Amino acid sequence: MPKTSARLLALLSLLQARRDWPGALLAERLNVSPRTVRRDVDRLRELGYPIVAVKGPDGGYRLGAGTDLPPLLFDDEQAVALAVALRIATTTGAGIEEAAVRALNTVRQVMPARLRHRVDTLQVTAVERPGARPDPQVDSGVLMTLSDAVHAREVLRFDYTPAFPPHAVAQDPAGPPPRRVEPHHLVTRGGRWYLVAWDLDREDWRTFRADRITPRTPTGPRFTPRELPGGEVSRFVAARFRGSDGSGEWPCRGQVTLGLPAAEVSRYARDGVVEELGPDRCRLTLGAWSWAGLAATVGLFDADIEVVGPPELKAAFALLGRRYTAAAAAAAPPTAAAAPAPYGGPAAPRNSLDNPPAADER
């Protein structure tokens, strides 16, 4: 039979692994008698672990949630996973950077030397996209309030700071009325936090930037969750940032023939479909949030372009052609010709051309 201390740790590990444990099964796993299990449970309770006795034909035990956080037991993989999660928590924009650093230091101090070395070798550096604005920080209290409302299915009221405040002349002295929504999901995307909710006043789905939300109390009545367009929140959010109605498809989708090898175009086609038509010719099917945005994206390939369809894409190319011609006529003569990018250069980045956020998301 293992020593009492080792047996207590093994029992605690089992209780953390699943919700309910029949007493007989615990005794079998620990290779002890049911009476010994009952004594060990009492010892863990004395140490501060809230272990609840489960009634039923078999009886059993459950590790409940206590008012104080007792010492936790992690195996090696769990300890390393926790340390990794705490390291990358500083890049989430959730406003928990200092708390995460303190928690990591606490965990690191109690780690065995072998695990401490593994954790210390993991150094994470957050690298921003070139030219990108710093991601806004969200107060952790706001995130908890939003999460509580989502979990409780309660109507949420909040003040929302618009991306572009109205002019002082047209601004209401009392300020805009609070938004009233049915919160469905709290999501993170690209270093920012968003609340996916049904806007009760606008009768439509919205995605709100969490860093612009100031919750009001108390919350409203409970509601029955609505069916999210597309079924999955990941598909819905991706579709909203594409400018579509939630179906997951781009609102504008067209097809062109490019005078480039398919292998070169595929490197920059993102979610487009590339078909090889010959050694130096391919067909590209691509989507964007507008026809002009789609035409501009295709135009970044340094190659001859033949529009297959639809007519709206041809009209967009004609529109951009007139704009570019007018811009070239008004521009000063260049001092030196820029070297063309090989194989057409990179495709369009995910910027305002093909990824326009909705009004609430900006």
Side-chain angles (χ1 to χ4, degrees):
M1 179 185 298
K3 293 183 179 180
T4 302
S5 58
R7 197 173 63 245
L8 290 178
L9 291 176
L11 174 59
L12 181 58
S13 179
L14 291 174
L15 290 172
Q16 291 179 161
R18 54 185 280 184
R19 180 173 175 82
D20 295 321
W21 279 94
L25 182 57
L26 283 175
E28 179 183 345
R29 294 290 294 271
L30 296 172
N31 195 24
V32 296
S33 67
R35 182 179 180 182
T36 301
V37 171
R38 289 194 296 270
R39 290 178 176 176
D40 288 346
V41 167
D42 290 336
R43 292 188 180 98
L44 289 177
R45 286 170 175 165
E46 293 174 357
L47 293 173
Y49 291 94
I51 301 177
V52 181
V54 180
K55 297 181 179 180
D58 298 329
Y61 301 96
R62 174 189 305 163
L63 183 62
T67 56
D68 299 320
L69 184 65
L72 300 178
L73 177 66
F74 298 104
D75 58 30
D76 289 4
E77 292 183 355
Q78 290 175 326
V80 174
L82 177 61
V84 172
L86 290 172
R87 282 197 183 278
I88 64 177
T90 59
T91 67
T92 62
I96 57 173
E97 290 76 11
E98 294 184 6
V101 171
R102 294 198 308 270
L104 178 60
N105 290 335
T106 301
V107 172
R108 183 184 176 280
Q109 289 175 3
V110 298
M111 280 184 171
R114 66 182 189 281
L115 296 183
R116 193 181 308 120
H117 175 71
R118 291 179 60 185
V119 171
D120 290 344
T121 58
L122 177 67
Q123 299 296 327
V124 180
T125 303
V127 179
E128 299 290 343
R129 297 185 302 272
R133 292 176 295 178
D135 291 325
Q137 297 295 303
V138 186
D139 185 88
S140 58
V142 172
L143 292 179
M144 291 304 300
T145 300
L146 301 181
S147 180
D148 288 343
V150 171
H151 178 73
R153 301 299 187 192
E154 294 177 341
V155 172
L156 185 66
R157 298 182 307 126
F158 56 83
D159 297 316
Y160 194 69
T161 304
F164 304 103
H167 296 293
V169 177
Q171 192 170 3
D172 186 351
R179 307 295 283 264
R180 298 186 312 116
V181 303
E182 295 176 353
H184 280 252
H185 296 277
L186 182 63
V187 301
T188 178
R189 182 182 190 273
R192 292 180 177 178
W193 291 82
Y194 298 90
L195 176 67
V196 177
W198 174 265
D199 194 310
L200 292 171
D201 297 320
R202 291 158 178 79
E203 297 185 346
D204 193 12
W205 290 96
R206 291 288 192 271
T207 53
F208 298 94
R209 285 261 300 269
D211 59 291
R212 293 178 179 157
I213 291 178
T214 303
R216 289 195 178 192
T217 55
T219 54
R222 293 181 179 271
F223 63 90
T224 301
R226 303 169 188 264
E227 184 177 355
L228 194 66
E232 298 179 358
V233 65
S234 57
R235 292 185 57 188
F236 172 79
V237 173
R240 297 293 285 194
F241 277 86
R242 287 177 170 182
S244 72
D245 57 0
S247 62
E249 297 294 334
W250 290 105
C252 301
R253 195 168 185 84
Q255 194 173 83
V256 298
T257 300
L258 297 174
L260 285 173
E264 298 300 331
V265 174
S266 298
R267 295 167 55 188
Y268 307 108
R270 303 194 312 275
D271 56 352
V273 178
V274 181
E275 303 174 63
E276 185 175 9
L277 300 179
D280 298 308
R281 199 163 169 265
C282 67
R283 180 183 295 114
L284 172 64
T285 303
L286 195 63
W289 71 277
S290 72
W291 294 113
L294 178 56
T297 300
V298 174
L300 289 178
F301 289 97
D302 187 17
D304 293 333
I305 303 170
E306 177 185 344
V307 179
V308 178
E312 291 85 352
L313 182 56
K314 292 185 178 181
F317 271 105
L319 174 64
L320 292 184
R322 293 193 296 270
R323 289 177 179 173
Y324 293 159
T325 300
T335 56
Y343 301 109
R350 303 190 78 87
N351 55 18
S352 58
L353 274 179
D354 60 355
N355 193 14
D360 291 328
E361 300 157 357
R362 287 198 293 263

